[in-house]
Amino acid sequence: MLSIKTKLAMVTVCVCSAVAFAQKPSEYNLPGKQYPQINADRTVTFQVDAPQAQSVAVDLGGRHQMTRNDAGLWEYTTAPQTPGFHFYAIVIDGKKMPDPSTQQFFGSGIWQSGIEVPELCVGFYRQKDVPHGQVINQKYTSKLTGQERVCNVYVPAGYDNDAKRYPVLYLLHGAGEDETGWPSQGKAANIMDNLIEEGAAVPMIVVMDHGVATIPGIDSRNMFDFTAYEKVVMEELIPMIDRTYRTLTDRDNRAICGLSLGGFQSWTIAMNNRDKFAWIGGFSGSGKGPGTTADLYDESLDKDFKFLFISTGTKESPQMYATVKNFHDILVSKGVRHVFYQSEGTDHEWLTWRRSLYRFAPMLFK
């Protein structure tokens, strides 16, 4: 039985007001690099050593011109930033590039720099002193695409020390991202480690695949036509995972969810393969695409699935928010039981999706 503390943590995420904390280098800085610095008021200070440059800017929600400081380094301090993960780039004499002082992350189809602005009273996605699972970079051959593919597979702590079999969650990324999104920006392993240690989530395997596939003879120009990727998932990915890992292979022990485009993929794939999945989630994207109509859904969803989940951030664009909210309204009108979660104060961003995974994963396989 969950403690009162754990139950409360499952229904609310504390979003702190600005509270002082120690100024420190960004957690994504390369060894020995002191900048970017995350400041006590959630502003961020950037420094760039570019002595020959005529102009240097930071591209973070718009371009911000840097100025030379007394040491001759280009410097800029932002306005206070919202908590969570932010992509950014450095622009030197008009050329946009990653910050050479930081790690890089894949998003919007390119490798970029990133910063993490702390959420002061929230620890569910932080690395804690708990048993840690592993994230395995798993390669597999796709005969359908004629290519080598790769996915990242989270196995829970203790996986190598027992012989038990585990349920599987297929966790999909969004458009312009890849299989590195959830393990890095999404902090999926930390979230799962902490939930499992608390007893809030069942120990499970989490598969984070590269969610794009091109198959000869299948038109892939419509980004909401998931025919090719669905074939890879059903005919190659799932069989490979079941051969390679100790999985429970029945539908009751298989779930799928994703963010944005991955949310639409998840709902489409699961609804087309009701004998293979019993649990569906969509974060900032749900249903069979933005043009979802009510006639695609009926009370059979209650019979065919154990749990349905959709979510959105309250500060998402009006179009994106409406897409998810309208789908929620369709399910309500059809009498379909589901959970609709709204992440307070967040946009189409990783904090929305971390919070969504934190709520979705504890509901699975119970």
Side-chain angles (χ1 to χ4, degrees):
M1 178 177 293
L2 300 181
S3 68
I4 293 175
K5 179 180 179 181
T6 298
K7 289 179 178 178
L8 289 173
M10 296 308 302
V11 298
T12 184
V13 171
C14 175
V15 181
C16 295
S17 58
V19 179
F21 60 92
Q23 178 183 11
K24 61 181 181 180
S26 167
E27 65 181 85
Y28 300 132
N29 287 3
L30 297 178
K33 300 295 184 180
Q34 295 301 305
Y35 289 87
Q37 289 267 345
I38 312 299
N39 302 318
D41 56 358
R42 289 204 183 97
T43 62
V44 182
T45 299
F46 296 91
Q47 281 190 2
V48 176
D49 185 5
Q52 304 304 316
Q54 300 301 307
S55 173
V56 181
V58 176
D59 193 327
L60 174 67
R63 291 195 178 184
H64 309 280
Q65 194 64 38
M66 306 179 80
T67 58
R68 291 186 189 273
N69 62 18
D70 293 342
L73 302 174
W74 295 92
E75 184 171 300
Y76 176 76
T77 297
T78 71
Q81 300 295 299
T82 57
F85 180 88
H86 302 265
F87 285 114
Y88 77 96
I90 301 297
V91 185
I92 299 180
D93 292 337
K95 184 179 180 180
K96 190 173 179 179
M97 62 189 69
D99 186 339
S101 297
T102 68
Q103 300 176 38
Q104 296 182 33
F105 304 86
F106 192 74
S108 302
I110 60 174
W111 287 95
Q112 306 178 64
S113 297
I115 54 171
E116 182 79 28
V117 178
E119 238 185 326
L120 296 180
C121 60
V122 175
F124 72 89
Y125 54 80
R126 295 292 178 189
Q127 182 172 310
K128 298 181 180 180
D129 185 15
V130 301
H132 298 302
Q134 304 176 58
V135 176
I136 301 166
N137 189 252
Q138 179 68 57
K139 297 179 180 179
Y140 64 102
T141 300
S142 169
K143 293 182 179 179
L144 289 170
T145 65
Q147 296 178 335
E148 289 295 310
R149 291 179 57 84
V150 64
C151 61
N152 283 304
V153 181
Y154 167 86
V155 295
Y159 177 87
D160 290 338
N161 300 321
D162 61 44
K164 65 185 285 189
R165 293 187 173 273
Y166 293 84
V168 185
L169 166 62
Y170 289 83
L171 182 60
L172 308 183
H173 61 76
E177 299 170 345
D178 65 8
E179 70 282 353
T180 64
W182 273 110
S184 55
Q185 297 99 292
K187 298 187 180 291
N190 288 350
I191 293 171
M192 296 308 305
D193 286 344
N194 296 336
L195 286 172
I196 292 169
E197 175 64 13
E198 293 168 6
V202 171
M204 67 186 78
I205 293 169
V206 182
V207 179
M208 296 160 280
D209 190 41
H210 183 65
V212 178
T214 301
I215 298 176
I218 296 179
D219 190 347
S220 59
R221 287 175 294 181
N222 178 0
M223 68 183 299
F224 290 99
D225 183 345
F226 308 129
T227 304
Y229 185 58
E230 181 178 335
K231 284 182 69 65
V232 169
V233 170
M234 302 311 301
E235 298 178 24
E236 295 182 326
L237 178 62
I238 291 176
M240 181 277 293
I241 292 295
D242 287 344
R243 287 193 309 270
T244 309
Y245 297 88
R246 297 195 311 277
T247 64
L248 294 167
T249 60
D250 59 296
R251 68 179 299 274
D252 287 354
N253 286 288
R254 188 178 294 123
I256 187 168
C257 73
L259 69 90
S260 194
L261 188 68
F264 294 116
Q265 288 176 321
S266 297
W267 273 81
T268 301
I269 292 170
M271 289 184 62
N272 290 346
N273 299 274
R274 300 185 187 208
D275 60 329
K276 301 298 184 185
F277 297 94
W279 319 77
I280 315 176
F283 313 155
S284 302
S286 309
K288 288 201 167 186
T292 291
T293 57
D295 60 350
L296 290 173
Y297 307 95
D298 56 37
E299 62 277 3
S300 69
L301 290 175
D302 273 343
K303 174 175 66 71
D304 291 345
F305 295 101
K306 291 181 174 293
F307 181 66
L308 305 174
F309 181 96
I310 58 178
S311 68
T312 185
T314 61
K315 289 191 175 181
E316 302 224 29
S317 71
Q319 181 180 7
M320 179 56 69
Y321 182 86
T323 295
V324 179
K325 178 63 164 57
N326 290 345
F327 182 59
H328 161 64
D329 292 340
I330 288 171
L331 295 184
V332 170
S333 72
K334 296 289 185 175
V336 176
R337 292 174 295 111
H338 66 287
V339 169
F340 176 45
Y341 165 66
Q342 299 185 77
S343 172
E344 187 63 37
T346 59
D347 203 334
H348 202 70
E349 59 180 284
W350 279 104
L351 192 50
T352 298
W353 307 323
R354 292 174 187 171
R355 290 176 177 180
S356 298
L357 178 62
Y358 177 66
R359 282 158 175 77
F360 180 67
M363 304 299 178
L364 300 177
F365 313 125
K366 296 180 179 179

